[in-house]
Amino acid sequence: MRSSADADEHRLVEYLRQGAGIWSEMGAQADVLDPEGPVLVSAGSLLTDGVWLWRDDLAYYLDRYHLALPGDFVACVRELGYSPPEVPESRLVEILTRDLGIPMG
């Protein structure tokens, strides 16, 4: 957590929100950093840009707490102009099966 945001934090938050959905969870989870904070719906859902994978609630935590994200990820997002690429279905299946070990079918 940091005390202030990067100048382009709002663009990073939007990038995270626009990732391709790869895993959906319907549950809700409390803000893990603030017990009095909001309940986050679908917090455990997963998004990707085909290279990086993150939880749906990461955008919330970045926006609220100004988390320090990995430098390689931030550099990649900036190189892509803050616009996540279209991820082919074959890559989504590959991430689920090979990278996450979730059997399909």
Side-chain angles (χ1 to χ4, degrees):
M1 294 185 342
R2 299 175 300 166
S3 60
S4 63
D6 285 340
D8 63 347
E9 183 178 273
H10 67 286
R11 296 182 79 190
L12 295 167
V13 168
E14 285 306 311
Y15 183 94
L16 291 171
R17 289 182 178 149
Q18 294 173 17
I22 191 168
W23 181 263
S24 183
E25 290 197 4
M26 295 175 52
Q29 180 178 355
D31 179 328
V32 297
L33 299 174
D34 179 4
E36 302 298 318
V39 173
L40 307 171
V41 178
S42 300
S45 296
L46 298 175
L47 303 167
T48 185
D49 58 8
V51 176
W52 294 87
L53 185 69
W54 59 90
R55 285 175 44 122
D56 185 55
D57 58 354
L58 181 58
Y60 164 81
Y61 288 107
L62 176 59
D63 188 44
R64 177 141 181 179
Y65 300 107
H66 316 299
L67 299 181
L69 298 175
D72 290 347
F73 173 74
V74 173
C76 179
V77 171
R78 289 173 178 155
E79 286 175 22
L80 291 169
Y82 305 93
S83 180
E86 185 87 21
V87 182
E89 185 176 346
S90 60
R91 178 63 182 134
L92 296 175
V93 170
E94 180 181 40
I95 292 169
L96 280 171
T97 57
R98 189 190 72 192
D99 300 340
L100 297 177
I102 298 172
M104 299 292 290

